[in-house]
Amino acid sequence: MSHVRRRGLQAGALLSTAAVLSLTAGPALAADTVSQASATALRVTVASTPTDSGSYTATNDGTKETTTGTNSPAVTALGGQSFVQAGTLAQDATATVRNKSGHSAACAGLAGDGATAVAAGDGACLTPGQNLQLDAAHVDLSNLQIVQSDLLMGLDQQLQNALAPVIGPLTDALNQALTTALSSADLGVFLDLGAVQSQCTAGPGTASGDAQIVDASAYAQFQGTRIDLVSLPVHPAPNTKVVTGLGDVTQAILDALNSEFTTAIDGQLGALGGAIDQAAVLAAALQQVSDQLGPLEDNVLDITLNKQSRASKDQITVTALDLSVLPVASGFGVDLLGAQIGESACGPSGRVTVATPTPTPTATPTTVPTSVPAGLESADDASGGLGTGGSAALIGLLALSAGAGVASYRRAMNRT
Amino acid sequence: MTQARVDRALTGLHRRLSALGTMLLVLSGGLVVGGVVIPADPGPPQPAYGSLSPSDPVRLEVPRLKVRAPIVPIQVTNAVLDPPADVLDVGWWAASAKPGSGEGSTVIAGHTVHTGGGSLDDLPEVKRNDVIDVVTERGTMRYAVMRRKIYDKEALAREAAGVFGQDHGNGRLVLISCTDWDGAAYESNVVVYAAPLGKVRGSGDSHDGRTRGDSVRAAS
């Protein structure tokens, strides 16, 4: 029993030793990644549903580079979104080893048709072609309306009294004018860009990244008219914030309503002659529309250019353009949108580990025992039992028996 | 006449032989008495022990325990010194000092068997100054027990370098077995340290512990 337990303990000790040795040797045997990079040209999230161009990754274990994903993604692969319908995507990454040190590079971006993609490691990976329009948001204006009570609140008491007999028909005429003016209105928010791209490099203890925004701007389009909102800098500093609203668009909408409202007011109040200040009524109507458009005048688009984050000094992620449509626009039927254009990630980096050569022993060291399992429950637990002397005696007896057998055989042969 | 002469001659011879015998008897008695009263000079005293050229051990003898056990060489495997599978044998760690060496320690391990029959069942019973003999092919190396110590397994592992290390010891003998039976297994080791006295004089004959049929404990 004790013998079995002792053997079990020894086997356990051996297994434990083997496990420890394998764990110790594991890192040396398993190839560690010494350099790595990845690139994602475009990621779009519409109403919480993401889609992207896929990521192209490169890793190097010190002996070879391994890549996954595609470095020639197609725009058509991004389904379920209307943000981008054409253009050229670029994403590339490389992971190399130089002087036993890991180095990596990546670039990613988006440009219009006709752009040329260049391999990572050469800086920018896109040369612009035609400009590209990205559809960031469409604003639904059908909910705008003139409310009778609100309209009267914007006028003095004398005017309110004068309008009392016709306030109902006037409100209806203004709402009709609103519908007429905006029923066919198409208010969209777009990005116009030549190329947006980022790139990064990383090596032992260092990582850097940058972004280029070529010929890019945000604009709105209302009734076929382009209204520039903001121009984006070509070489933005890291984490450059750009926010913009639709104040200029609001004014365009009011301008469009001005004539329609004037016509409607004249139609309802013209018979009253100079007894009613029609200009005041027009102003009150426009103000009511302006108030409703107020949220769009503030920040609607939140853009971060050359967005950089570092997990360590030798690791960086750069996003050339990070766009989100703020929730305030959701009241106008705008699908909340998030888009990251040109995301490059590099690092971390390591060094190729060279297996430590086994030193040639100069002398065989004496391994001191740390365990002497010299106890047994019974002699049956031992594999022996006869003793060395007993074994020798047994061998002697066997030899004697064999000799006697031979002698008997010879006597028998002699008798014959 | 002739018969009378012969009888006389025989009678004379008998008397002479009797006289010679009496004389020799008296002389012997005188020599005995003289030897007791005047003892002979014993000569210069001889040292009790000589030196032994380091030699592989072949048998362990512990008179108090009535142990006469063959010794077989054993090795350390994964830091474990396993005594011989045959519980009647003891094992000499072949990487330790040979008996007769003035350096290091001669390490011998033997089994303790709970139900009896192990070569070193009674090792904890040795006393200080007990004699232990290790027989080699070149003679018998005698040791005197200096101390006995109990190590639990953790302590033995912790102090292994001190117990078994070969960079010290001055040729001492280290006997080790198990003790502290807990009902299922032995919890500790008993270690006996013995200082070398030297080679027992006249023990230079060849000994072969494997062929003398003494692989059993004398007491059993």
Side-chain angles (χ1 to χ4, degrees):
Chain A
M1 193 67 182
S2 164
H3 180 70
V4 172
R5 176 179 171 177
R6 181 161 57 90
R7 294 297 181 198
L9 288 172
Q10 288 178 351
L14 284 173
L15 287 173
S16 300
T17 303
V20 170
L21 286 175
S22 64
L23 286 173
T24 306
L29 297 175
D32 291 334
T33 298
V34 296
S35 61
Q36 52 200 300
S38 66
T40 306
L42 178 61
R43 181 180 297 113
V44 180
T45 302
V46 179
S48 302
T49 302
T51 184
D52 59 42
S53 59
S55 293
Y56 184 74
T57 64
T59 58
N60 197 306
D61 63 1
T63 60
K64 65 182 185 301
E65 180 186 53
T66 302
T67 61
T68 59
T70 177
N71 60 354
S72 56
V75 169
T76 53
L78 283 83
Q81 53 85 36
S82 58
F83 178 65
V84 57
Q85 299 296 324
T88 302
L89 296 172
Q91 57 187 33
D92 196 21
T94 181
T96 59
V97 174
R98 297 195 302 270
N99 298 325
K100 296 181 180 178
S101 296
H103 294 267
S104 58
C107 65
L110 172 65
D113 290 337
T116 304
V118 182
D122 298 330
C125 57
L126 279 169
T127 56
Q130 301 173 12
N131 267 32
L132 176 67
Q133 278 71 49
L134 302 177
D135 192 345
H138 280 270
V139 180
D140 181 6
L141 300 175
S142 63
N143 289 331
L144 295 175
Q145 63 177 330
I146 300 297
V147 178
Q148 180 176 307
S149 57
D150 293 343
L151 180 64
L152 291 175
M153 285 177 61
L155 302 174
D156 58 33
Q157 190 59 50
Q158 183 179 357
L159 191 51
Q160 288 184 35
N161 294 336
L163 286 175
V166 294
I167 187 62
L170 175 61
T171 301
D172 292 341
L174 289 173
N175 277 317
Q176 183 60 45
L178 195 61
T179 302
T180 301
L182 299 181
S183 61
S184 60
D186 181 19
L187 174 58
V189 180
F190 302 89
L191 292 179
D192 184 12
L193 56 89
V196 173
Q197 57 189 314
S198 71
Q199 62 279 152
C200 63
T201 59
T206 182
S208 62
D210 200 2
Q212 295 81 42
I213 314 294
V214 178
D215 194 15
S217 62
Y219 69 93
Q221 192 159 332
F222 177 66
Q223 291 183 326
T225 302
R226 172 170 171 153
I227 305 167
D228 290 325
L229 301 176
V230 63
S231 292
L232 303 180
V234 176
H235 294 290
N239 301 310
T240 297
K241 203 80 170 174
V242 176
V243 290
T244 184
L246 301 180
D248 291 343
V249 178
T250 299
Q251 188 56 53
I253 293 172
L254 296 179
D255 289 345
L257 289 174
N258 190 22
S259 59
E260 294 291 341
F261 279 0
T262 300
T263 302
I265 291 170
D266 185 56
Q268 292 297 321
L269 303 179
L272 299 177
I276 293 178
D277 183 355
Q278 294 187 21
V281 174
L282 175 61
L286 290 175
Q287 184 61 49
Q288 191 173 152
V289 173
S290 178
D291 290 344
Q292 293 178 50
L293 291 173
L296 294 181
E297 295 182 12
D298 297 326
N299 300 329
V300 171
L301 294 181
D302 186 343
I303 300 172
T304 303
L305 302 174
N306 194 9
K307 183 178 181 180
Q308 297 190 5
S309 62
R310 292 174 182 270
S312 62
K313 64 180 180 180
D314 64 345
Q315 187 175 7
I316 190 171
T317 299
V318 185
T319 303
L321 190 154
D322 188 332
L323 164 74
S324 62
V325 176
L326 296 176
V328 66
S330 61
F332 293 87
V334 176
D335 287 332
L336 296 183
L337 175 109
Q340 291 78 45
I341 304 173
E343 181 182 283
S344 304
C346 296
S349 304
R351 285 185 61 81
V352 177
T353 55
V354 179
T356 305
T358 303
T360 303
T362 53
T364 303
T366 301
T367 302
V368 174
T370 58
S371 173
V372 183
L376 296 174
E377 181 175 10
S378 71
D380 294 337
D381 294 338
S383 58
L386 286 175
T388 305
S391 299
L394 180 59
I395 292 171
L397 283 174
L398 288 173
L400 191 60
S401 299
V406 169
S408 298
Y409 175 75
R410 292 183 62 180
R411 278 199 303 275
M413 292 300 291
N414 289 338
R415 289 195 190 105
T416 59
Chain B
M1 182 63 185
T2 304
Q3 182 62 42
R5 287 181 181 174
V6 171
D7 289 340
R8 282 197 296 273
L10 287 175
T11 300
L13 179 59
H14 178 72
R15 288 175 181 163
R16 290 189 188 94
L17 286 175
S18 296
L20 179 61
T22 301
M23 185 177 63
L24 287 175
L25 184 60
V26 170
L27 179 61
S28 298
L31 288 173
V32 170
V33 172
V36 172
V37 176
I38 311 171
D41 183 1
Q46 294 256 337
Y49 304 104
S51 61
L52 175 69
S53 297
S55 183
D56 290 356
V58 295
R59 189 174 67 246
L60 174 72
E61 297 179 355
V62 187
R64 175 184 290 276
L65 307 181
K66 297 177 181 174
V67 167
R68 288 167 58 89
I71 297 174
V72 297
I74 56 176
Q75 306 290 342
V76 170
T77 303
N78 297 322
V80 175
L81 182 65
D82 216 345
D86 192 322
V87 299
L88 300 175
D89 294 346
V90 294
W92 165 60
W93 179 28
S96 68
K98 295 180 179 181
S101 173
E103 299 175 347
S105 299
T106 299
V107 177
I108 294 177
H111 276 297
T112 292
V113 179
H114 176 61
T115 56
S119 56
L120 297 180
D121 281 356
D122 301 321
L123 188 59
E125 297 176 9
V126 297
K127 309 295 183 186
R128 182 177 171 82
N129 292 325
D130 277 358
V131 167
I132 297 176
D133 286 341
V134 176
V135 180
T136 76
E137 293 183 350
R138 294 178 178 173
T140 299
M141 189 70 187
R142 179 158 292 175
Y143 301 86
V145 173
M146 302 304 294
R147 67 190 176 104
R148 183 195 63 216
K149 188 171 182 180
I150 307 295
Y151 298 87
D152 62 33
K153 297 190 183 303
E154 290 75 17
L156 183 70
R158 190 170 57 248
E159 300 181 26
V163 176
F164 302 110
Q166 295 300 307
D167 56 350
H168 59 280
N170 299 322
R172 71 182 179 182
L173 174 67
V174 176
L175 279 182
I176 182 167
S177 190
C178 278
T179 189
D180 287 348
W181 176 256
D182 69 352
Y186 285 98
E187 292 296 316
S188 303
N189 287 104
V190 54
V191 179
V192 169
Y193 299 93
L197 299 177
K199 176 187 174 185
V200 177
R201 291 213 174 266
S203 63
D205 298 335
S206 176
H207 294 266
D208 187 351
R210 291 173 176 76
T211 58
R212 292 192 172 188
D214 54 2
S215 61
V216 294
R217 297 174 65 229
S220 59

